[in-house]
Amino acid sequence: MIAAMDISIRKAERSKLQDLNQDNIPFGKYFSDHMLEADYENGEWKNIEIKPYQPLLMDPSLAALHYGQAIFEGIKAYKGIDGKPYIFRPHDNFKRFNISAERMQMPQVPEELFMEGMRKLVELDQNWIPSKEDHSLYIRPFMFSSDPLIGVRPSDTYKFLIILSPSGPYYSAPMRIYVEEKYVRAVTGGVGYAKAAGNYGAAMYATAQAKLKGYDQVLWTDPFEHKYVQEIGTMNVFFIIGNKAVTPDLSQGTILGGVTRMSSMTVLKDMGFTVEERPISVDELMDAYKAGLLHEVFGTGTAATISMIKELRYKDFVMQFDVENWKTAPGLKKRLTDIRERRAEDKYNWMLKV
Ligand SMILES: *Cc1c(COP(=O)(O)O)cnc(C)c1O
């Protein structure tokens, strides 16, 4: 690929891989032997290095900790049945990363730093990709402002890093969802479409409240009327209504446009569904449910891939689903997994060979 950018590699003396219990890998808890780190100073990216995974040394006045100029991405690498490592659609995450960077007044990360840095890192730590079904290596690129200055202004310096975390199945049990009508995740003109760190901190209180009521997650609604649905927690949402697959459109800028969402729309079309991106109201969902037409509800995202929803509660109205007999969500998940683990033809060229 592009060789203009100099990425130095300093290897760990000892691998921690033998300490990992491959039968129980909680999401996001363990990290591979190496990480990539780069500094943005005086308008350019420098000190680009792949080195042993290690803590960062930071000043207490570090700007990101105070004002939240921080963004991230989530990508997965898989081991194909050929035993080789592949990354799922990383270029789409690269593009989204720079969209988030622009919205947060942060510098663009050059394609070769993001893509070639990630490729080299995954290549070096490829033994960390678990080979069991539904397992993968989660790739977490992120950037934060690093000026040691507590004045409120965009930082002059930034850090870009990539870390890798082996992961087992995530959110695998069907979920009970509370339709949120008090708190909001994102508003028109806000930062909902960006993978900005603050969005997640801001969502935790409402999610905890829903958990106290016995729910796993919230279904976010629009900020004006709490009438139109946005996303489930940190996943995009799909509804199978009759023979259509329907998902909220992105025109309000309040929804994070997922790579899994995009991929699911493509695969659902292949499965024979008419796919619609449009506003969806809770009233429409309740009417479809009462008419026996709301067949399936599921979330899509890199971490979980597809998460089935067994219950949706709106005020006192409870919609329950017989997930055991579903065909679409499990079928979609299998098709995506088969492409990722290379059991099925990759006809859209989604897999990047490391
Ligand atoms: C990351 C994320 C998603 C899913 O995006 P993918 O690219 O499919 O992983 C959906 N919603 C929110 C809020 C997210 O942060």
Side-chain angles (χ1 to χ4, degrees), residues 72-75 93 96 138 185 192 194-195 199-200 220 231-236 255-262 300-303 305 340:
F72 68 96
E73 267 306 327
I75 307 170
N93 298 86
R96 187 171 69 190
Y138 185 81
R185 188 191 91 89
K195 244 175 151 63
N199 284 342
Y200 304 83
W220 299 107
E231 307 191 51
I232 288 182
T234 60
M235 290 184 297
N236 295 115
I255 291 174
L256 197 290
V259 178
T260 320
R261 174 186 180 274
M262 221 176 359
T300 68
T302 294
T305 310
R340 288 163 164 172

Side-chain angles (χ1 to χ4, degrees), residues 84-343:
K84 301 214 165 74
Y86 294 87
I87 307 176
F88 184 71
R89 304 191 71 169
H91 201 261
D92 293 291
N93 298 86
F94 161 68
K95 285 187 283 186
R96 187 171 69 190
F97 192 74
N98 277 337
I99 291 170
S100 300
E102 181 185 36
R103 181 63 181 83
M104 299 304 290
Q105 192 56 41
M106 300 168 85
Q108 297 284 294
V109 170
E111 177 167 350
E112 47 185 323
L113 170 54
F114 191 102
M115 295 294 292
E116 188 58 8
M118 169 171 54
R119 198 198 61 74
K120 277 206 161 83
L121 181 64
V122 173
E123 184 177 43
L124 183 62
D125 279 350
Q126 59 181 277
N127 291 340
W128 283 84
I129 310 176
S131 25
K132 280 203 258 173
E133 214 182 309
D134 245 5
H135 287 55
S136 55
L137 184 66
Y138 185 81
I139 304 170
R140 168 53 61 90
F142 59 108
M143 171 166 53
F144 58 87
S145 56
S146 54
D147 280 6
L149 183 116
I150 55 170
V152 183
R153 60 150 178 77
S155 193
D156 290 329
T157 63
Y158 294 84
K159 263 192 191 296
F160 172 69
L161 291 100
I162 306 177
I163 55 176
L164 307 175
S165 177
S167 78
Y170 181 79
Y171 268 171
S172 39
M175 301 198 292
R176 299 178 67 224
I177 302 298
Y178 184 82
V179 180
E180 184 57 60
E181 306 178 79
K182 181 171 180 190
Y183 306 106
V184 293
R185 188 191 91 89
V187 300
T188 320
V191 289
Y193 68 87
K195 244 175 151 63
N199 284 342
Y200 304 83
M204 286 177 189
Y205 182 75
T207 309
Q209 294 294 310
K211 285 194 173 154
L212 286 177
K213 295 179 192 125
Y215 291 84
D216 299 298
Q217 262 299 347
V218 299
L219 173 57
W220 299 107
T221 54
D222 77 89
F224 308 112
E225 302 175 89
H226 296 299
K227 190 171 160 185
Y228 293 97
V229 304
Q230 294 179 338
E231 307 191 51
I232 288 182
T234 60
M235 290 184 297
N236 295 115
V237 64
F238 282 79
F239 304 93
I240 304 297
I241 305 176
N243 62 355
K244 289 179 179 164
V246 193
T247 189
D249 64 281
L250 308 179
S251 64
Q252 299 299 303
T254 51
I255 291 174
L256 197 290
V259 178
T260 320
R261 174 186 180 274
M262 221 176 359
S263 311
S264 296
M265 290 196 293
T266 302
V267 170
L268 285 163
K269 281 180 201 154
D270 283 350
M271 290 167 74
F273 284 95
T274 300
V275 177
E276 292 180 353
E277 288 179 86
R278 59 170 175 78
I280 304 161
S281 69
V282 186
D283 288 337
E284 176 187 350
L285 295 176
M286 290 197 295
D287 288 345
Y289 180 82
K290 288 176 197 157
L293 291 170
L294 181 55
H295 303 307
E296 302 189 18
V297 182
F298 52 87
T300 68
T302 294
T305 310
I306 305 292
S307 279
M308 300 194 284
I309 307 307
K310 64 178 179 187
E311 185 180 318
L312 208 52
R313 183 200 176 105
Y314 176 65
K315 299 189 199 286
D316 289 331
F317 192 76
V318 176
M319 296 173 253
Q320 280 174 323
F321 303 96
D322 185 12
V323 298
E324 258 73 73
N325 293 316
W326 283 7
K327 297 274 186 300
T328 306
L332 170 61
K333 180 162 186 173
K334 181 166 188 325
R335 281 185 187 230
L336 286 171
T337 308
D338 283 351
I339 294 170
R340 288 163 164 172
E341 297 176 1
R342 299 193 75 74
R343 280 185 298 271

